[in-house]
Amino acid sequence: MNWPQSFIKPKYLSLTYLLSLFLTLFFLSCEINYDGDERLLVTGRILNENNLPIPNQDVEFWIYKGSGAGGDDDLISLTATDNNGQFLMLIPSPNNEDGFELKISDPDTIYQHKILHRILDKNFTNYEYNIGDIVLYQHHVITNAYITFNKTTVNTSLMDVKFKGDADYLVWINEPETYYGDYEPTLAHDYYKNVPLNSTLTITYTIRDNSTETLSTHEATVTINNENLEYIINY
Amino acid sequence: MRVLFIIVFIWPFVAFAQKQSAENTVRFSANFSTYLKYDNNLGTHFLGDATEAKFPGFGFQFDFLKYQNLKFGLGVEFMPYDVVDITMAGNIDKTDTRAYFGKFLYEIKLGESWRIAPNLGIGSSIVRQKTSTTNLDSFKGIKYYAGTNITYKLTEVIGLFLGVNYAFAKYNVNTAEAFESYFRNSTQMQILFGLSFTVPNKK
């Protein structure tokens, strides 16, 4: 019996067809989709180290999904701060994003640039997210602090390191899913921070005693003067 | 929306059909209009503030029912827009509006060649947006029309017409309270210019 060729090898089983279908589905799955009938409002104010508003700072709002070659991101809005340092953006609402990112840069390069990373849906209330005040430091008032956690005791591990008073360009609005402060006990613990001159940097961290399975919270206060600083915390 | 559709599009057939036995009957009377249009947006709202109409838009209307001087027709129109304020609209390449409408026109003859037709209409309006790579979806609403067409008949079949419409739309958009009105309402003065084609009645 002679079966029709199309029955033996249907079109939808051809390698080219399946590959095209796979690639189409793959790229569609990476694409950011939007709800046109939903608009999100993002507002904020940019100040300098003396709490004075900075006008004419470029502000960009990005949406991202995934990362690397399979990821997608959209520059969905851009604006500049007004004379009061305020900015406002209205964007169509994405419906499959991983997060948002706000980028600030100074066209005159007097002030540092800043990235507010991992803004999430949960930060919006009634379609609105007011970021509040964002402080940018002039480049000449920033120095560096190199903080090292030095493990001196067996059976302890370092957790949940947080800094207050730094001037880092990258600010995590929500902590990363895999947080780099959640260390394995054997790893080195180094932090390279931008800090304002003549300021105080407060470091909080938790030490876990693995033998007793107890946690203890600690705080270190570091005084920053006019030069780079190396600071070691033993635990 | 279904109720609206029934009232606007189905009701005229039913209502007028019932009068066919009367002396003044509803009859089929075909008149096509095809036109270029420009939307002049009025007031502060999304379409007028963050975008700008890009001439020409175009439209098509088919009037097919006539009862004495009253006509009823259906139409579709399209208007492309450019985003002029990214802050308010988003970083979007293309915006366009589409509308599907029904209109009642009351035609008044002014001499042999001139016709003036005040009209009222209602329809569905869609604002569609996209970037170069991504379809940003759309938002929809109801659009109301009030206007007048003036037609100069070049022949029994062909006429030139000029139309002016006041159009008000209410869109379904969810956003921050301070900007609800900005996205939900739009008012426009529409200018239409085109040709109308009338299918002569059989004697």
Side-chain angles (χ1 to χ4, degrees):
Chain A
M1 184 175 183
N2 292 326
W3 293 96
Q5 189 65 22
S6 61
F7 186 85
I8 299 166
K9 189 182 178 185
K11 183 186 173 188
Y12 55 80
L13 283 181
S14 74
L15 187 60
T16 310
Y17 185 83
L18 287 173
L19 188 62
S20 304
L21 182 67
F22 172 77
L23 287 174
T24 303
L25 290 173
F26 175 76
F27 284 111
L28 279 177
S29 69
C30 297
E31 195 174 81
I32 296 167
N33 298 319
Y34 293 84
D35 287 328
D37 58 0
E38 215 171 87
R39 302 282 158 157
L40 303 177
L41 173 64
V42 183
T43 57
R45 186 170 67 150
I46 299 177
L47 305 172
N48 66 14
E49 62 274 12
N50 300 314
N51 282 331
L52 295 173
I54 317 177
N56 303 319
Q57 296 296 294
D58 292 336
V59 183
E60 296 179 353
F61 202 64
W62 289 76
I63 299 172
Y64 61 89
K65 174 177 167 54
S67 60
D72 189 17
D73 54 16
D74 278 350
L75 171 58
I76 196 62
S77 189
L78 58 157
T79 186
T81 53
D82 62 15
N83 287 337
N84 298 316
Q86 291 177 322
F87 65 87
L88 175 155
M89 290 180 281
L90 281 154
I91 61 161
S93 175
N95 58 26
N96 64 341
E97 85 288 356
D98 286 340
F100 307 89
E101 193 172 78
L102 187 94
K103 294 182 181 177
I104 304 160
S105 59
D106 180 9
D108 298 324
T109 65
I110 296 168
Y111 292 93
Q112 63 175 160
H113 73 283
K114 198 148 223 169
I115 298 173
L116 278 63
H117 188 62
R118 206 166 142 76
I119 299 167
L120 301 176
D121 271 341
K122 68 180 183 183
N123 296 115
F124 288 83
T125 306
N126 296 325
Y127 309 103
E128 185 173 356
Y129 178 40
N130 183 359
I131 297 171
D133 290 344
I134 303 160
V135 177
L136 298 187
Y137 293 85
Q138 295 181 62
H139 289 295
H140 70 83
V141 300
I142 298 176
T143 187
N144 301 311
Y146 187 61
I147 312 295
T148 304
F149 286 90
N150 182 35
K151 184 179 168 70
T152 57
T153 312
V154 183
N155 280 334
T156 57
S157 52
L158 176 67
M159 300 168 62
D160 202 18
V161 180
K162 287 191 171 70
F163 296 89
K164 189 177 177 185
D166 66 88
D168 274 357
Y169 78 92
L170 180 65
V171 177
W172 289 84
I173 299 297
N174 294 280
E175 291 189 1
E177 286 173 345
T178 315
Y179 189 49
Y180 55 76
D182 189 9
Y183 284 101
E184 290 295 323
T186 54
L187 294 179
H189 316 313
D190 302 323
Y191 292 88
Y192 189 78
K193 307 295 288 183
N194 293 130
V195 287
L197 294 174
N198 304 313
S199 66
T200 302
L201 180 68
T202 305
I203 307 162
T204 57
Y205 56 98
T206 301
I207 302 295
R208 183 178 190 273
D209 186 325
N210 296 326
S211 58
T212 60
E213 295 188 353
T214 55
L215 301 175
S216 57
T217 303
H218 303 263
E219 185 175 293
T221 302
V222 183
T223 301
I224 313 294
N225 296 315
N226 290 319
E227 53 194 18
N228 292 346
L229 174 84
E230 289 187 21
Y231 191 83
I232 298 171
I233 299 173
N234 293 314
Y235 71 94
Chain B
M1 197 63 196
R2 285 179 186 168
V3 174
L4 190 70
F5 181 83
I6 289 168
I7 290 171
V8 173
F9 299 116
I10 307 297
W11 175 78
F13 290 93
V14 177
F16 293 158
Q18 289 172 348
K19 297 181 181 176
Q20 278 189 348
S21 58
E23 186 179 344
N24 295 317
T25 57
V26 174
R27 59 191 171 82
F28 181 80
S29 172
N31 186 84
F32 304 89
S33 304
T34 179
Y35 54 86
L36 302 178
K37 71 185 277 270
Y38 179 74
D39 292 349
N40 181 30
N41 286 283
L42 309 172
T44 303
H45 57 85
F46 173 70
L47 282 176
D49 193 42
T51 66
E52 189 174 86
K54 196 165 64 176
F55 182 80
F58 53 87
F60 176 81
Q61 186 171 330
F62 176 41
D63 306 327
F64 55 95
L65 287 177
K66 187 171 183 181
Y67 175 73
Q68 296 183 345
N69 288 350
L70 189 66
K71 286 180 165 182
F72 177 76
L74 299 175
V76 57
E77 58 186 25
F78 172 85
M79 189 80 219
Y81 279 79
D82 279 333
V83 169
V84 293
D85 188 348
I86 290 173
T87 302
M88 305 302 277
N91 191 18
I92 290 162
D93 293 328
K94 290 179 182 173
T95 300
D96 63 63
T97 64
R98 293 152 192 233
Y100 307 92
F101 58 83
K103 278 187 183 174
F104 288 97
L105 305 95
Y106 191 82
E107 189 177 73
I108 302 163
K109 291 184 179 177
L110 301 173
E112 282 300 308
S113 300
W114 292 92
R115 305 281 186 275
I116 184 166
N119 57 77
L120 290 172
I122 187 170
S124 169
S125 181
I126 301 163
V127 178
R128 208 173 59 114
Q129 298 193 289
K130 72 190 295 293
T131 67
S132 56
T133 56
T134 310
N135 191 346
L136 282 181
D137 203 31
S138 57
F139 56 92
K140 302 177 179 70
I142 297 176
K143 201 165 193 172
Y144 306 90
Y145 300 87
T148 299
N149 294 344
I150 299 171
T151 304
Y152 178 75
K153 292 189 78 68
L154 299 169
T155 68
E156 191 184 357
V157 175
I158 302 175
L160 284 174
F161 91 92
L162 178 71
V164 179
N165 286 329
Y166 175 81
F168 172 71
K170 285 195 81 69
Y171 293 104
N172 299 315
V173 178
N174 295 316
T175 188
E177 192 177 358
F179 289 91
E180 282 179 351
S181 176
Y182 184 79
F183 282 101
R184 289 180 182 174
N185 302 314
S186 88
T187 50
Q188 301 172 328
M189 190 63 75
Q190 300 181 319
I191 312 290
L192 324 175
F193 178 75
L195 294 171
S196 73
F197 303 90
T198 304
V199 178
N201 291 324
K202 289 179 182 174
K203 303 289 183 186

